[in-house]
Amino acid sequence: MTATDPAAAELLARGELTVRGRIREASNAALYCTVTYEGREAACVYKPVAGERPLWDFPDGTLAGREAAAYEVSRATGWDLVPPTVLRDGPYGEGMCQLWIETAPGAELLALVDGEEPEPGWKAIGFAEVGEGRTALLVHADDERLRRLSVLDAVINNADRKGGHLLPTADGRLYGIDHGVTFNTENKLRTLLWGWAGEPLPQEALDVLAALTDALAASGPLTAALTPLITPAEIDATRARVDSLLAARTHPEPGTDWPAIPWPPV
């Protein structure tokens, strides 16, 4: 089953979860599972709320809901940048369940290069120390898929967009994962995708943001989808971020009161 299959969300929500193993690289409990329903089966990731580590700046037990909320916003954009994700009960209680994405090897989206400026086709992020007193320029691809993801991250206030959260697939799509630290009411945008900072938003992005404004109205479908997942104040803050992006008509720039780049970057 692919992430674009309209039956994927139903399979995740209604299917029987069987735990196959643990993803040890994850900072919170993340279990590799299979989910089966009415003859369909798919691989997925299940992150139980019980396995979430407390954070000082996010309420306890809310990360799974934020992951599902990020999917709902992504779906509303029409870009489908987040794999199908639901909030449901599982073997270890309520948690996030997300379709497993098989990545394509060799897709180069990030790089460290010598020199002061990026080559054509790349956007500069900043300089990084690479050992022995040497620095290199960290760059990301000047890729429409990444640009869309940078807009989505600005809307959901993603505090942790790392390189390891970017999943390119063999069919040319790109997915972003790990959206547990999103939707904070305070500005916490922290990302590797700063290459377009201050540049005008493309018309496509402006059209998507205008559609989000309608979907986030009090009686809008996106508001209804987000209401069980995040707080009313966080929904209001999401509306405000969309309005701000539309008013500025530019990609946001790094703030000064919060680290702008996640560490480690991958």
Side-chain angles (χ1 to χ4, degrees):
M1 174 171 287
T2 67
T4 56
D5 191 321
E10 182 183 33
L11 172 63
L12 292 171
R14 296 177 176 270
E16 180 180 357
L17 281 176
T18 302
V19 177
R20 303 297 184 185
R22 181 170 182 175
I23 303 170
R24 297 191 178 275
E25 298 84 359
S27 57
N28 295 293
L31 304 174
Y32 178 78
C33 302
T34 53
V35 58
T36 56
Y37 179 68
E38 294 187 344
R40 291 174 173 261
E41 180 175 289
C44 61
V45 177
Y46 162 54
K47 297 181 182 179
V49 171
E52 294 178 5
R53 296 180 181 178
L55 298 173
W56 68 269
D57 52 348
F58 285 83
D60 292 351
T62 66
L63 305 191
R66 296 173 194 279
E67 294 246 31
Y71 165 68
E72 294 295 343
V73 175
S74 168
R75 190 161 70 104
T77 65
W79 289 334
D80 294 323
L81 296 167
V82 178
T85 310
V86 300
L87 188 67
R88 57 161 292 172
D89 283 330
Y92 299 102
E94 186 177 60
M96 175 277 269
C97 187
Q98 184 176 81
L99 192 71
W100 180 266
I101 299 296
E102 292 292 343
T103 60
E108 195 172 13
L109 298 172
L110 297 165
L112 282 167
V113 298
D114 294 322
E116 300 289 324
E117 298 291 337
E119 296 291 329
W122 295 88
K123 304 290 277 188
I125 303 167
F127 290 95
E129 294 187 10
V130 293
E132 299 180 353
R134 191 171 72 88
T135 61
L137 184 63
L138 181 61
V139 298
H140 66 68
D142 188 2
D143 186 304
E144 180 186 68
R145 301 169 302 171
L146 287 180
R147 190 166 192 170
R148 289 173 172 175
L149 194 58
S150 75
V151 175
L152 175 66
D153 283 343
V155 170
I156 66 176
N157 198 15
N158 192 351
D160 194 33
R161 174 61 72 208
K162 295 178 179 177
H165 301 165
L166 305 173
L167 304 183
T169 63
D171 62 358
R173 299 188 67 91
L174 176 70
Y175 295 97
I177 60 169
D178 286 348
H179 297 106
V181 286
T182 50
F183 296 101
N184 202 296
T185 56
E186 298 180 7
N187 178 29
K188 291 186 178 291
L189 184 59
R190 188 168 61 165
T191 175
L192 287 177
L193 305 180
W194 288 117
W196 298 281
E199 293 187 12
L201 286 164
Q203 187 60 49
E204 176 197 42
L206 294 172
D207 292 342
V208 163
L209 291 168
L212 286 181
T213 298
D214 294 336
L216 284 166
S219 59
L222 183 53
T223 297
L226 294 178
T227 295
L229 303 172
I230 57 177
T231 68
E234 289 164 344
I235 295 174
D236 287 343
T238 303
R239 291 190 188 104
R241 287 191 296 272
V242 172
D243 290 344
S244 178
L245 287 165
L246 278 170
R249 302 179 70 86
T250 59
H251 286 271
E253 299 189 64
T256 58
D257 55 354
W258 178 255
I261 296 175
W263 191 263
V266 177

